[in-house]
Amino acid sequence: MKQAAFIGVGNMGGALARAAVRAVGPDQVVLFNRTRAKAEALAAELGCGVVDSAADAVWAAEHLFLGVKPNGMGPLLEELAPQIRDRHRVGEDKVVVSMAAGLGIKDMRPHLAGAGYYVPVVRIMPNTCVAIGKGMTALCAGEAAEAFIQGIEEILSATGRVERIPEGLMDQFSAVAGCGPAFVYPYIEALADGGVMAGLPRKQAMEYAAQMVLGAAAMVLESGRHPGQLKDEVCSPGGSTIAGVAELERGGLRAAAINAVLAAYRRSAELGR
């Protein structure tokens, strides 16, 4: 039995499948997609297998990663439940791993009633940076056994950072780390625009801005120092950096960032209802 089956290989499912292959090897991963050609193309790229149906994925692997839209999750779980039941009867237990935003474990569990036993359901919330191994993923384990959770963490080990959090913090996490890349990209673009206005060629300005943001983020994570302290260390009295910081404050950068996270959180909570 393989370690992971990815049912649905769209943008996020495909990114996680790529990371899984890097982490556990292509021989431990199988793919299924309603449009078979999409799964076959990705499998050819990664060297892993393809199965003919979602039911076949249940028979093939222990960890079932479901990369479908929230409105498709209920029908898919109901389709999988009888197959999960049959594998349970021969001593093979499965764990369902959902990456659907806004759907709680309690929302998914009734759709698994056909399995006839308490199927472990784990929620993950990755961001798009998992595609290059620099992602931030939240994991809510529910009542899954530690062995299942560790197996999921191994499969996701090449995605970047994986953090276990209570399910009650999923929407908050999503507002910061899930939506966050979309908040940072316009900032990088704006920095590059400023560089172009100052005379830098566009390509170099974009590269310099992006690398600077990458390095600044690494400084926060690796040094353990507060961002405010790191900012102060760059700002010489009467210098150019503090002049720039004053303009960011005048433009309301902090308030805009806080409000963006809160707006994303409120919308995520609404979608979950």
Side-chain angles (χ1 to χ4, degrees), residues 84-203:
I84 294 173
R85 177 197 63 211
D86 291 346
R87 300 320 294 162
H88 176 66
R89 286 174 176 171
V90 297
E92 289 183 9
D93 285 340
K94 310 292 178 176
V95 59
V96 170
V97 185
S98 167
M99 58 191 87
L103 275 184
I105 292 174
K106 65 178 176 56
D107 301 317
M108 291 180 274
R109 189 159 299 291
H111 298 289
L112 287 166
Y117 79 106
Y118 196 84
V119 182
V121 178
V122 170
R123 284 183 68 191
I124 61 172
M125 183 58 62
N127 66 15
T128 56
C129 305
V130 299
I132 58 167
K134 301 292 185 182
M136 182 70 239
T137 299
L139 183 153
C140 173
E143 297 182 9
E146 182 65 22
F148 278 133
I149 301 166
Q150 290 181 5
I152 294 167
E153 289 174 335
E154 179 186 6
I155 293 164
L156 297 178
S157 61
T159 64
R161 294 184 178 226
V162 179
E163 181 86 7
R164 299 188 196 186
I165 68 171
E167 189 173 20
L169 294 180
M170 272 293 196
D171 287 339
Q172 294 90 329
F173 170 88
S174 180
V176 175
C179 303
F183 306 156
V184 173
Y185 297 142
Y187 178 63
I188 293 173
E189 183 183 26
L191 291 172
D193 286 346
V196 171
M197 289 182 68
L200 283 173
R202 168 66 63 182
K203 184 175 184 297

Side-chain angles (χ1 to χ4, degrees), residues 189-245:
E189 183 183 26
L191 291 172
D193 286 346
V196 171
M197 289 182 68
L200 283 173
R202 168 66 63 182
K203 184 175 184 297
Q204 285 93 323
M206 195 69 74
E207 290 176 357
Y208 301 159
Q211 179 62 40
M212 177 279 299
V213 170
L214 178 66
M219 282 287 287
V220 172
L221 292 173
E222 295 177 21
S223 73
R225 301 204 294 278
H226 191 280
Q229 178 186 351
L230 293 170
K231 178 262 296 178
D232 289 347
E233 291 172 0
V234 184
C235 293
S236 302
S240 56
T241 304
I242 193 63
V245 168

Side-chain angles (χ1 to χ4, degrees), residues 9 31-44 49-53 56:
V9 291
L31 311 177
F32 169 73
N33 200 74
R34 297 291 183 191
T35 305
R36 183 179 174 89
K38 190 168 188 176
E40 288 178 338
L42 183 58
V50 175
V51 293
D52 293 328
S53 67
D56 288 343

